[in-house]
Amino acid sequence: TIERTFSIVKPDAVKRNLVGAIYQRFENAGLKIVAAKMLHLNAEKAQGFYAEHENKPFFDDLVSFMTSGPVLVQVLEGEDAIVRYRELMGKTNPEEAACGTIRADFALSMRHNSVHGSDSPESAAREIAYFFADDEICPRG
Ligand code: CMP
């Protein structure tokens, strides 16, 4: 099935000029970028995005980090895009991420882990709608 998933290139990666290298990974994996923009999140926007984690001990540091500099948000489209993008990213903790994954190659730590990706079809739908209006998504055919 052709799916859409939501992706963030996080502040640690934007700061280190890794946007092109990470977009290249998406494209090499056959994931098509169908929407993209740069944003500097404020605390309210980051807290709302990560609402499911609001009771976790790492929540405040996560929000501080995600508002520490600009991010790129994008919608990726392709066959089984949700699972395939998660495989491409590797595990949340870069020390556990498989060789050749984005996080193994670029992430600095569990918090500064370079990319975010939706974990299910339900979160993909919510996360895409949280950042993009329907008319900002450009079907590629
Ligand atoms: P992400 O996929 O964006 O979803 C939630 C984020 O919280 C996750 O990536 C990590 O960056 C961060 N995170 C998850 N668990 C921890 C943890 N134990 N300590 C610090 N940060 C965490």
Side-chain angles (χ1 to χ4, degrees):
T1 340
I2 301 289
E3 291 175 337
R4 288 176 178 172
T5 192
F6 176 74
S7 159
I8 304 179
V9 180
K10 295 189 180 187
D12 66 290
V14 175
K15 280 196 180 85
R16 289 178 289 145
N17 265 357
L18 292 170
V19 171
I22 291 173
Y23 272 34
Q24 188 73 67
R25 303 274 179 121
F26 300 162
E27 296 192 323
N28 286 350
L31 295 168
K32 295 178 179 175
I33 300 163
V34 295
K37 58 191 168 191
M38 181 173 267
L39 297 167
H40 194 142
L41 302 180
N42 62 27
E44 187 184 12
K45 188 84 176 171
Q47 284 160 355
F49 180 72
Y50 282 120
E52 68 181 292
H53 295 301
E54 68 189 344
N55 296 317
K56 307 265 173 70
F58 57 82
F59 183 70
D60 288 350
D61 286 336
L62 173 62
V63 170
S64 301
F65 166 59
M66 291 301 291
T67 57
S68 67
V71 299
L72 265 290
V73 294
Q74 46 283 323
V75 179
L76 306 178
E77 186 177 87
E79 190 68 30
D80 297 322
I82 296 168
V83 161
R84 287 190 36 240
Y85 176 46
R86 292 183 69 74
E87 288 172 359
L88 189 65
M89 288 192 296
K91 293 217 173 129
T92 305
N93 182 349
E95 290 179 12
E96 295 171 8
C99 290
T101 60
I102 294 172
R103 285 166 170 161
D105 291 344
F106 299 128
L108 302 171
S109 66
M110 181 94 107
R111 177 168 311 122
H112 305 105
N113 67 348
S114 302
V115 283
H116 166 83
S118 308
D119 62 6
S120 66
E122 295 69 32
S123 16
R126 181 187 83 84
E127 293 175 359
I128 291 168
Y130 192 78
F131 282 101
F132 291 99
D134 286 345
D135 68 1
E136 291 180 301
I137 301 173
C138 304
R140 299 267 301 265

